[in-house]
Amino acid sequence: MLRNSKTSFGWIAIGMHWGIAILLVCQFALGVTMVDVEDQRRAFDLIQLHKSLGFLLLCLIVLRLGWRLTNRFPVEPADLAVAFCHASRMSHGALYAIMLALPLTGWALVSASTLAIPTLVFGTLIVPDLPLTRLESAEGAWRATHEALGWLGVGLVGLHVGASIWHELTLGQPFLRRIWRPGHRH
């Protein structure tokens, strides 16, 4: 089953969910380690990889949003409290907003950088900078915003994972099962 059903996600949504999740974890790990690499060539390569994965994530997230808007969303378990439904919608909205904002603020950061180093996605495609003024103060502001969103994203992902596990293990609601494999029924 490729498409979502009334009770579970399809393979496409599941694949995008886990693919984006893995890329986000890699991006965070890469982001916090690349800034401490002393070898300039190695640091340059890691930064270009971080930028490449960021543009890949941006594309995947836009595709994921399109898929989510054009496919049914599995219904919540009947015994899920209304407050949890609202919290779920709000946290998912915040996750999508951060997943879009992170690559965009990263793009703004490199566009405002006084170093003017081109972004070469996976060594093949030069991505033009956004039309921003190259100023140290602007670069610093975009860097601070990008880093703050990264840490906020880590917190939201932790909340997302923790809530899913709690609902599954404590309340017996199939939040994990329906994102692992299609066809699960509550």
Side-chain angles (χ1 to χ4, degrees):
M1 160 171 55
L2 292 177
R3 298 177 70 84
N4 299 346
S5 73
K6 185 178 179 181
T7 58
S8 71
F9 293 98
W11 283 117
I12 292 174
I14 291 170
M16 284 192 280
H17 175 273
W18 291 110
I20 289 170
I22 290 166
L23 282 171
L24 284 172
V25 169
C26 290
Q27 277 293 78
F28 183 78
L30 190 54
V32 297
T33 58
M34 70 186 190
V35 294
D36 292 328
V37 174
E38 292 183 23
D39 179 280
Q40 286 188 343
R41 180 65 201 173
R42 180 84 173 127
F44 176 85
D45 290 343
L46 292 175
I47 290 167
Q48 288 293 349
L49 177 60
H50 186 73
K51 293 192 289 186
S52 295
L53 293 176
F55 280 106
L56 175 60
L57 268 168
L58 181 60
C59 293
L60 289 174
I61 290 159
V62 169
L63 287 172
R64 172 112 188 253
L65 277 169
W67 186 256
R68 177 151 182 178
L69 293 172
T70 59
N71 283 271
R72 75 173 65 180
F73 192 80
V75 295
E76 303 294 355
D79 59 342
L80 183 65
V82 173
F84 288 139
C85 287
H86 292 306
S88 174
R89 285 188 199 105
M90 288 175 53
S91 64
H92 277 95
L95 274 169
Y96 278 111
I98 285 176
M99 288 188 299
L100 281 171
L102 275 167
L104 292 174
T105 57
W107 193 2
L109 164 61
V110 300
S111 298
S113 173
T114 57
L115 297 176
I117 298 170
T119 298
L120 189 60
V121 176
F122 297 113
T124 59
L125 174 69
I126 293 179
V127 176
D129 288 337
L130 296 171
L132 299 174
T133 304
R134 293 188 183 282
L135 293 170
E136 284 185 32
S137 58
E139 180 181 356
W142 284 116
R143 176 173 281 109
T145 302
H146 188 66
E147 288 175 4
L149 285 172
W151 286 106
L152 182 59
V154 167
L156 277 173
V157 166
L159 178 67
H160 176 71
V161 170
S164 298
I165 292 169
W166 182 74
H167 278 278
E168 184 83 28
L169 299 180
T170 304
L171 302 178
Q173 296 166 329
F175 287 97
L176 291 175
R177 286 173 273 175
R178 69 184 191 170
I179 198 65
W180 279 110
R181 58 181 167 77
H184 176 77
R185 303 209 180 278
H186 325 176

